[in-house]
Amino acid sequence: MTREPLIVTAALDEAAFNWFDDLRRTHFPAERNVVPAHLTLFHALPGDREVEIGAALKAACREASGSMSLTVRGPWSLGRGVAYRLASPELEAFRANAAEAFSGWLTPQDRAPWRPHITVQNKVEPEAAKALLAQLQHEFEPFDIEAEGVLVWRYLGGPWEALARLPFGPA
């Protein structure tokens, strides 16, 4: 039996999550905003490999030294929306190692170069997206946030079901 795919996101510190989720709730079309703000590490891992994926993620998280710093580099145009670009050599290395472990299961999207970002608006008219981008760029100063671990979700055809929160660092 094929199970719905798994999604893996970074578990952000509470203040960062709340800030991005508030922006998302404010600017994302309400009828399309069915998931919270998130930084996707993997878009679609095979749901029928949940046990193996969970074990690999737990091991990788235990090997991490603890929370990882990310720099929020600024708002970025998606054409019909806006996202914030992020940078973290540590999280990029974590994701690359996990991608190796999952290499036989990665979709083309997850094999493509990873461009870490958090989407706060999407699926709007280009003019609305351009206006929000200008507003957010005008107010923006780079800042740092923390990734405290990973979150594992099951895709439910739109909404996601939370399955696990795995912290970085030894248990």
Side-chain angles (χ1 to χ4, degrees):
M1 174 176 128
T2 302
R3 306 221 34 205
E4 295 296 330
L6 303 178
I7 300 162
V8 180
T9 65
L12 303 177
D13 69 82
E14 184 178 2
F17 169 76
N18 288 337
W19 190 79
F20 284 110
D21 202 51
D22 285 347
L23 277 174
R24 187 175 172 97
R25 281 185 275 121
T26 300
H27 300 292
F28 211 99
E31 67 280 1
R32 294 179 176 263
N33 191 20
V34 296
V35 298
H38 54 278
L39 169 54
T40 304
L41 300 177
F42 297 99
H43 295 86
L45 295 172
D48 58 354
R49 299 293 189 156
E50 183 177 342
V51 172
E52 298 100 310
I53 290 166
L57 286 171
K58 285 177 190 172
C61 287
R62 277 194 306 272
E63 291 174 13
S65 60
S67 292
M68 299 178 190
S69 182
L70 294 90
T71 299
V72 180
R73 298 179 70 178
W76 162 53
S77 174
L78 300 175
R80 296 179 67 87
V82 177
Y84 279 83
R85 290 183 198 246
L86 298 124
S88 171
E90 200 174 13
L91 188 59
E92 288 174 28
F94 175 88
R95 196 233 178 242
N97 289 337
E100 277 186 39
F102 303 146
S103 65
W105 302 326
L106 297 180
T107 63
Q109 184 178 23
D110 284 330
R111 280 194 303 269
W114 186 54
R115 292 183 175 83
H117 66 278
I118 298 173
T119 302
V120 296
Q121 181 190 58
N122 208 358
K123 300 176 175 60
V124 300
E125 290 302 315
E127 299 77 26
K130 192 180 286 188
L132 179 62
L133 178 65
Q135 173 193 334
L136 295 177
Q137 285 175 329
H138 178 73
E139 301 168 354
F140 185 74
E141 295 283 335
F143 61 99
D144 291 337
I145 61 175
E146 298 289 316
E148 300 175 338
V150 300
L151 301 169
V152 182
W153 309 82
R154 182 170 316 286
Y155 178 71
L156 301 177
W160 301 351
E161 173 190 8
L163 299 178
R165 181 183 183 99
L166 307 171
F168 290 139

